[in-house]
Amino acid sequence: SGAFLAHRPMYLMPFTWVHEQNDSPYSPRTGSFTYDNELDNQEAKYQISFKIPLLTGVLDGRTTLWFAYTQLSLWQVYNTDSSAPFRETNYQPELFVRYRSDWDLGPGAIDYLSISFNHESNGRSEPESRSWNRILGSATYTYGRWLFMVNPWYRIPENEEEDDNPDIENYLGYANYWAIYKWNQNYTLSLKMLNNLKADDNKTSVQLGFSFPVGDNLKGYVQYYNGYGESLIDYNERINRIGIGLMLNDWL
């Protein structure tokens, strides 16, 4: 209890390239705005994520109450003409209960079930403000070298006069879907998918990741993202990005 542990993958990609930056982010309620300076297509991207157990040993030692925090940042580090600003940072604190199920199912097992209260925002004022609150579930299934995870959510409704992104589920849907494959001790492949589950105006987003050894103690990381919701400010804009850097902690 009280120890800081890894939550989601942590990585640092000093270099990423975007096919076309979203120069004028738009919200149905607050309208659009334009950045003060021209954006570079090259920027750094990193994610830090940790969790702290608050209450352990409940229900035969299988249930734990956690606090977790994840931060994703996009940094215009090469845009020296504009003083290299942070273009977007998303803050995601959450409180969740996790149950270690260990239920055998087919050739594998359902290892964990969890439910959380999740807040995510970019901490900015209007018209740049974006945020939402969710009840977020999670179930993990392992089979051999595979890990599958589904994270369904229910968005907590907000007052229409205060909602910065009322149509976010039209782009991101109602769940994340993960498939992770540990090729061997050193190589890991990951796939994240989102879909809005609409027959008309269907929107699918994909994130591919590949980690590999760099020297004796470090892992390299390549990530490709194509779709919506990479960051809150771009939730309704399709982003096509590839980046390379270091993986600080892997899935498996």
Side-chain angles (χ1 to χ4, degrees), residues 18-77:
V18 181
H19 177 258
E20 187 174 347
Q21 287 280 24
N22 182 17
D23 295 321
S24 300
Y26 170 79
S27 163
R29 187 180 70 82
T30 61
S32 63
F33 73 92
T34 303
Y35 292 98
D36 294 335
N37 300 284
E38 185 176 349
L39 297 177
D40 276 358
N41 284 26
Q42 301 82 31
E43 59 187 0
K45 177 182 179 181
Y46 67 84
Q47 177 171 283
I48 59 174
S49 184
F50 62 85
K51 61 178 180 277
I52 306 170
L54 302 178
L55 182 63
T56 62
V58 182
L59 297 179
D60 194 27
R62 290 179 175 269
T63 303
T64 310
L65 174 67
W66 301 81
F67 170 78
Y69 176 78
T70 302
Q71 178 176 315
L72 176 71
S73 291
L74 298 168
W75 183 13
Q76 289 269 295
V77 63

Side-chain angles (χ1 to χ4, degrees), residues 8-241:
R8 296 184 174 94
M10 291 190 284
Y11 54 83
L12 168 63
M13 294 190 294
F15 180 84
T16 72
W17 181 83
V18 181
H19 177 258
E20 187 174 347
Q21 287 280 24
N22 182 17
D23 295 321
S24 300
Y26 170 79
S27 163
R29 187 180 70 82
T30 61
S32 63
F33 73 92
T34 303
Y35 292 98
D36 294 335
N37 300 284
E38 185 176 349
L39 297 177
D40 276 358
N41 284 26
Q42 301 82 31
E43 59 187 0
K45 177 182 179 181
Y46 67 84
Q47 177 171 283
I48 59 174
S49 184
F50 62 85
K51 61 178 180 277
I52 306 170
L54 302 178
L55 182 63
T56 62
V58 182
L59 297 179
D60 194 27
R62 290 179 175 269
T63 303
T64 310
L65 174 67
W66 301 81
F67 170 78
Y69 176 78
T70 302
Q71 178 176 315
L72 176 71
S73 291
L74 298 168
W75 183 13
Q76 289 269 295
V77 63
Y78 307 105
N79 195 350
T80 54
D81 292 340
S82 302
S83 299
F86 278 84
R87 182 173 67 83
E88 172 80 345
T89 296
N90 293 164
Y91 311 94
Q92 191 175 169
E94 59 185 316
L95 190 67
F96 69 97
V97 175
R98 185 176 69 176
Y99 175 71
R100 182 167 54 86
S101 52
D102 294 333
W103 296 336
D104 291 335
L105 181 63
I110 299 176
D111 291 335
Y112 290 100
L113 300 171
S114 70
I115 187 168
S116 71
F117 172 76
N118 179 290
H119 170 78
E120 186 176 17
S121 67
N122 63 357
R124 302 169 78 168
S125 58
E126 294 183 356
E128 301 165 66
S129 174
R130 304 286 187 271
S131 67
W132 59 341
N133 297 311
R134 293 175 290 172
I135 302 299
L136 184 66
S138 180
T140 61
Y141 179 82
T142 56
Y143 166 59
R145 298 182 179 182
W146 286 96
L147 167 65
F148 300 95
M149 183 165 52
V150 59
N151 303 125
W153 62 70
Y154 167 75
R155 185 186 182 188
I156 299 174
E158 297 182 37
N159 189 308
E160 291 183 3
E161 297 179 354
E162 299 177 355
D163 194 346
D164 304 317
N165 30 254
D167 58 344
I168 190 169
E169 287 171 310
N170 291 339
Y171 294 88
L172 305 189
Y174 306 91
N176 292 331
Y177 309 93
W178 285 93
I180 298 98
Y181 179 70
K182 194 171 183 64
W183 200 326
N184 57 35
Q185 192 63 30
N186 297 315
Y187 299 90
T188 303
L189 293 166
S190 65
L191 167 66
K192 173 187 176 182
M193 292 189 66
L194 301 95
N195 188 278
N196 64 357
L197 304 180
K198 293 182 180 292
D200 297 328
D201 196 26
N202 184 266
K203 291 179 170 58
T204 299
S205 302
V206 175
Q207 176 182 296
L208 296 172
F210 175 57
S211 62
F212 53 92
V214 178
D216 295 330
N217 301 312
L218 291 176
K219 276 194 171 184
Y221 182 55
V222 175
Q223 185 188 90
Y224 173 69
Y225 197 99
N226 188 324
Y228 303 88
E230 182 194 31
S231 66
L232 284 178
I233 201 67
D234 298 324
Y235 81 90
N236 53 3
E237 184 76 15
R238 179 170 288 279
I239 298 298
N240 192 355
R241 178 194 305 273

